Amino acid sequence: PHLTPWLALFVAPQCRRRGVGRRLIEALAREAKRLGVSEIYLGTDHPAYYARCGAEFFEQASDTLCIMRLPLAGATERSKST
């Protein structure tokens, strides 16, 4: 609960290895930056894939689940006083 927002992504098996996941991550990152989000968190059992997309290790949640942080370069945090 202390880490927000979260990235949730699923690519159907027949669509994998075609760049679909990377394009979805890039589109989500663009929209998040536009909204003033400076970082996104995600849980994965495939950290190497997300590292290639720019995510950084954040913490090991369990034996198989890794929490990663995707910094959004150039994002300006939106004011919370609105």
Side-chain angles (χ1 to χ4, degrees):
H2 64 287
L3 305 174
T4 63
W6 280 86
L7 165 68
L9 176 70
F10 177 81
V11 176
Q14 67 272 19
C15 297
R16 293 179 185 165
R17 306 196 62 78
R18 298 181 186 177
V20 173
R22 182 176 291 272
R23 288 193 304 274
L24 287 169
I25 292 167
E26 290 168 351
L28 181 128
R30 279 192 306 274
E31 181 64 9
K33 284 196 298 190
R34 189 187 72 75
L35 294 172
V37 175
S38 60
E39 58 192 9
I40 297 170
Y41 293 90
L42 60 108
T44 184
D45 58 350
H46 294 94
Y49 173 77
Y50 289 98
R52 288 192 302 272
C53 294
E56 305 165 344
F57 175 82
F58 186 78
E59 68 183 48
Q60 193 70 40
S62 72
D63 289 343
T64 59
L65 182 65
C66 177
I67 306 300
M68 300 189 75
R69 181 180 76 89
L70 180 63
L72 303 176
T76 306
E77 191 132 8
R78 191 172 19 158
S79 170
K80 301 195 193 258
S81 63
T82 54

